[in-house]
Amino acid sequence: LRLFSGSANIPLAQEVARYLGMDLGPMLYKHFADGEIYIQIQESIRGCDVYLIQPTCRPVNDHLMELLIMIDACRRASARQVTAVIPYYGYARADRKTAGRESITAKLVANLITEAGANRVLAMDLHSGQIQGYFDIPLDHVYGSPVILDYLLAKQLSDIVVVSPDVGGVARARAFAKKLNDAPLAIIDKRRQAHNVAEVMNVIGDVAGKTAVLVDDMIDTGGTITEGARLLRKEGASQVYACATHAVFSPPAVERLSSGVFEEVIVTNTMPITEELRFPGLTVLSVA
Ligand code: R5P
C-alpha cells in the first residue's frame, strides 16, 4: 500500500499517513512556465495499491487537473490499483440540468477521473448521493458527520432542533437528528434567485426557544447558512450552531459567519483552512 498527496491538502494527508503509521510517498510536483503541471512519482509503485489524497477544492481547476495527472502517472507506472481519495469533490453542485443547455459537471468530472485510470474512489459527503452512480467503478462514500456528532454530543446541548437550510438537505439533517438523540427536525424553505445568492422564505417546524443546529454539506459564500440562521433567530431560536463538512469559505463567507449570528461554526478539514479564513467561534474538526 502506498499513499501520496497532491498539493491541495497536505496537512490532512500527513495526518492520514500518521494514523496509518506510514510515510507519504515521494512525488515531484511543479509547474512549467506556461502553468502546465508536471508530476513524477519518485519511487517504484509497480504492483502496488496506491491511494492518492486530493480534494478538488479551490483553485478547483488546478487541483482537479493535478489529480487527473497523478492518476495517469500511477496507472502508467503499473500500479496494481489506484484509489482516488477525494475528501471534497468539486463541481458536484451541477449534478443535473436545471435549465436547458447546461452541463452536468458532476458527471463530467466522474468521467474524467475514471478515464484517467482510477480503479476506485473514496469520497466524503458528496453534494448529492446520486453522484455515486455517476461512476462505473466502485466508490466508497463516507461522511464527516460522525466527528461532528461526537463533538456536539460532548457539548450536551439541551432542547436541540436540527435544521436543514433547504429542502434538498432534509435527508442529511434527518440522519443527523436521529444521531442527536432523535432531536426534532425543522426545514427552511428557500428560493434561490441566482447562483450563490440565497433567499430564505420561511421555517417549517418549531424552533422558538430552542438550540438550532443547522446542518449542510458545505459552506461556500456563507449566504445560505447565515440567512438561515437570521431567520431562525427571528423565529425565536435561542442560539444557532452551524455544522458543515466542507468549509469552502469563498468571500464573503468569513464576514458573514463572524457577524455574530452563530454561537459556533463547526466544520472539518476536508480542505485547508488558512489563517485568514479563521475567526472566533470557528471549530475545525479532523476527518483524517
Ligand atoms: C446547496 O445546495 C448546498 O448544500 C449549500 O447549501 C450551498 O452550496 C452553500 O452555498 P453558500 O454558502 O454560497 O450559500
Side-chain angles (χ1 to χ4, degrees), residues 123-143:
M124 179 166 263
D125 277 294
L126 289 164
H127 177 61
S128 51
Q130 64 265 27
I131 295 172
Q132 295 169 71
Y134 296 0
F135 286 87
D136 285 331
I137 53 175
L139 181 146
D140 291 296
H141 189 202
V142 296
Y143 299 92

Side-chain angles (χ1 to χ4, degrees), residues 23 44 51 53 73 98 109 127 174 177 213 218 238 246 280:
D23 291 323
S44 171
Y51 289 76
I53 303 183
T98 56
V109 168
H127 177 61
R174 193 183 291 127
V213 178
M218 69 177 85
S238 54
H246 306 301

Side-chain angles (χ1 to χ4, degrees), residues 93 127 165-166 172 190 192 196 198 216-225 256:
R93 281 173 281 186
H127 177 61
D166 53 34
R172 178 184 305 116
K190 171 184 83 169
R192 194 188 280 279
N196 287 135
D216 211 343
D217 59 330
M218 69 177 85
I219 300 175
D220 188 356
T221 64
T224 304
I225 213 141
R256 285 175 171 163

Side-chain angles (χ1 to χ4, degrees), residues 165-231:
D166 53 34
V167 175
V170 172
R172 178 184 305 116
R174 193 183 291 127
F176 211 85
K178 197 163 173 233
K179 295 272 169 53
L180 273 180
N181 304 320
D182 263 324
L185 187 68
I187 301 160
I188 294 177
D189 178 29
K190 171 184 83 169
R191 310 277 153 92
R192 194 188 280 279
Q193 287 180 321
H195 292 291
N196 287 135
V197 178
E199 188 188 347
V200 171
M201 303 301 283
N202 57 65
V203 182
I204 305 167
D206 183 17
V207 299
K210 293 181 188 285
T211 298
V213 178
L214 268 162
V215 182
D216 211 343
D217 59 330
M218 69 177 85
I219 300 175
D220 188 356
T221 64
T224 304
I225 213 141
T226 308
E227 288 307 309
R230 289 213 179 93
L231 180 66

